Amino acid sequence: MKLYRGRIFSPVADPFGAERIETTYRYLDDGCLSVGDDGRIVALNDWSAVQLSEGDEVIDLGRTSLITPGLIDTHLHAPQLEMIGSYGGDLLEWLNRYTFPTEAKFADSDHARQIARELFEELPRSGTTSALI
């Protein structure tokens, strides 16, 4: 089993229906995420409660990392990767100045393939594990 040690944040309930936000997540300052040989999460515990077994592999992520569930982006435009953070103005101005010219470059399949590769490399860096593109 792989045991990931570090700070862990995990949502456990809908924050909009709760009287107290603290009841909607679990945060462990020194936690352990246990992952079985099949890659599935087996347990989430405080590190102090972990009992190591022979063959366990401990991956200590230290204090600078935060283990969270993967994020799902439900509205993503792949061609707009190149224009992230561009000044908007009003919507029509932004579309004409940035969006339409950027998306027109996708008529070139080599350009489209390159940007797609960059996007798929970038998504996991931001914690995004699934996306509707």
Side-chain angles (χ1 to χ4, degrees), residues 1-4 32-37 42-43 45 47 49-60:
M1 183 158 338
K2 289 187 178 182
L3 307 174
Y4 295 89
C32 178
L33 181 71
S34 303
V35 178
D37 294 333
V42 175
N45 295 299
W47 183 257
V50 172
Q51 295 181 357
L52 294 174
S53 298
E54 187 175 328
D56 285 346
E57 177 186 356
V58 176
I59 298 103
D60 192 338

Side-chain angles (χ1 to χ4, degrees), residues 17-37:
E19 287 186 32
R20 292 185 20 197
I21 191 75
E22 300 82 23
T23 63
T24 68
Y25 64 88
R26 190 164 177 206
Y27 175 76
L28 302 170
D29 193 52
D30 188 14
C32 178
L33 181 71
S34 303
V35 178
D37 294 333

Side-chain angles (χ1 to χ4, degrees), residues 7 11 22 24 32 42 55-56 60-61 74 76 84 91 98-99 107 112 115 125 128:
R7 297 179 311 130
E22 300 82 23
T24 68
C32 178
V42 175
D56 285 346
D60 192 338
L61 300 173
T74 61
L76 179 63
I84 290 174
L91 178 58
Y98 300 107
T99 305
I115 296 301
R125 286 189 200 115
T128 304

Side-chain angles (χ1 to χ4, degrees), residues 102-122:
T102 301
E103 291 183 355
K105 293 186 212 174
F106 272 62
D108 175 354
S109 60
D110 289 334
H111 177 76
R113 196 173 358 271
Q114 178 61 36
I115 296 301
R117 282 189 188 111
E118 290 175 20
L119 175 66
F120 290 123
E121 289 173 3
E122 189 61 34

